[in-house]
Amino acid sequence: INSLFASLFAEVKLPFGLSYRLSFQPRFQNIKDYNFWNTETITGANDYKGGYGTRQDYSQSEWMIDNIIKWNKEIGINNFDLTLLYSAENVKNYTSQYTNQTFLPSDALGFHGMGFGTIPIVTSTDTEAGGNALMARLNYTLLGKYLLTASIRRDGFSAFGQQNPTATFPAVALAWKISDEDFINIGFLNRLKLRLSW
C-alpha cells in the first residue's frame, strides 16, 4: 500500500479588511494484494485443486481546491462577517480483480499467469466523479445579541445527472440572545438564545 496525502495552503491579507485563502489537498493511493496458494500449501492442497490465486489492483487519485475570501468588519453597533467560497474536486478510482483456480499445465504459474486457470473471475471498475461549489454566507450581529445568518450555495456534481447537474441551497436564520437582555435576571441561567431558521 502506497499513500500520499497533503494539505497545501496560502493565505494573504488584502485591503479593506479582506483575506484570501487558497488550499489544495491532493490524495493518491494504490494497493496491490497478491495471493497464491500452490498445492504444497495447506490451503492449496486441501481446498483448491491445482492451486489458487487472487490478484487485486486498486488505485485512487483525488484532489480538492478551495478559494475562500473573508471579510470581517465592525461598524458601531453592527458586526459583519462575510465568507465567499469557490471549491472544485475530482476523484478517480480504478479497480482490478482476478481470481483463478486449477492452473494448467502447472500451478507454478501462480498469479503471474492468471489467464491459465480454469475458473476465472475477472472484475474491472473505472469511476470518475467531479464537482464544484459556489457559496456566500453573511453573519450579521446587531448590539451583540440580534443575529442574522444568510447563505446560498450552488453545488454541481457529476452524480446529479445530465438534466440537473447543479442544485442551489439557500438558508437563513434569525437569533436573539435573550439572556443578554436587562430584563432577564436569573442566577442559574447564563445563556439563552431563541433561533428560527429555514
Side-chain angles (χ1 to χ4, degrees):
I1 299 174
N2 296 307
S3 298
L4 171 66
F5 176 76
S7 182
L8 311 171
F9 74 92
E11 190 166 348
V12 294
K13 299 292 184 182
L14 301 174
F16 310 109
L18 294 168
S19 67
Y20 170 66
R21 179 185 174 100
L22 171 66
S23 65
F24 177 63
Q25 296 100 32
R27 181 184 178 194
F28 303 98
Q29 184 178 58
N30 68 0
I31 297 173
K32 295 181 179 181
D33 187 8
Y34 297 164
N35 299 286
F36 175 70
W37 294 273
N38 62 27
T39 53
E40 296 179 3
T41 63
I42 295 175
T43 301
N46 295 338
D47 300 332
Y48 303 103
K49 179 183 177 182
Y52 181 69
T54 66
R55 181 170 183 164
Q56 300 174 343
D57 297 305
Y58 169 83
S59 228
Q60 177 172 313
S61 67
E62 61 182 283
W63 55 262
M64 177 182 289
I65 187 166
D66 290 325
N67 295 274
I68 301 173
I69 295 177
K70 287 191 173 185
W71 178 66
N72 194 302
K73 186 74 172 176
E74 188 170 342
I75 304 172
I77 60 174
N78 305 285
N79 183 273
F80 300 90
D81 186 358
L82 177 67
T83 302
L84 303 174
L85 164 74
Y86 174 74
S87 176
E89 60 181 308
N90 183 267
V91 179
K92 293 181 181 179
N93 290 301
Y94 310 91
T95 303
S96 298
Q97 175 183 324
Y98 319 90
T99 300
N100 225 320
Q101 186 178 335
T102 311
F103 291 89
L104 298 174
S106 168
D107 66 349
L109 294 167
F111 58 77
H112 298 290
M114 296 299 294
F116 298 101
T118 59
I119 310 175
I121 297 174
V122 178
T123 302
S124 179
T125 304
D126 297 295
T127 61
E128 182 174 1
N132 55 44
L134 290 165
M135 188 273 292
R137 181 182 62 217
L138 173 65
N139 290 317
Y140 168 71
T141 306
L142 175 65
L143 294 169
K145 55 187 175 183
Y146 307 110
L147 301 92
L148 165 69
T149 299
S151 67
I152 186 165
R153 182 174 177 123
R154 185 164 179 82
D155 284 287
F157 186 50
S158 56
F160 285 171
Q162 296 298 317
Q163 283 190 319
N164 299 296
T166 59
T168 303
F169 306 94
V172 65
L174 296 170
W176 174 27
K177 291 184 181 178
I178 304 174
S179 54
D180 288 359
E181 297 290 355
D182 294 335
F183 61 83
I184 298 293
N185 189 9
I186 303 174
F188 64 87
L189 182 66
N190 55 20
R191 186 172 182 86
L192 176 65
K193 182 194 288 187
L194 175 67
R195 188 172 189 268
L196 301 174
S197 63
W198 173 82

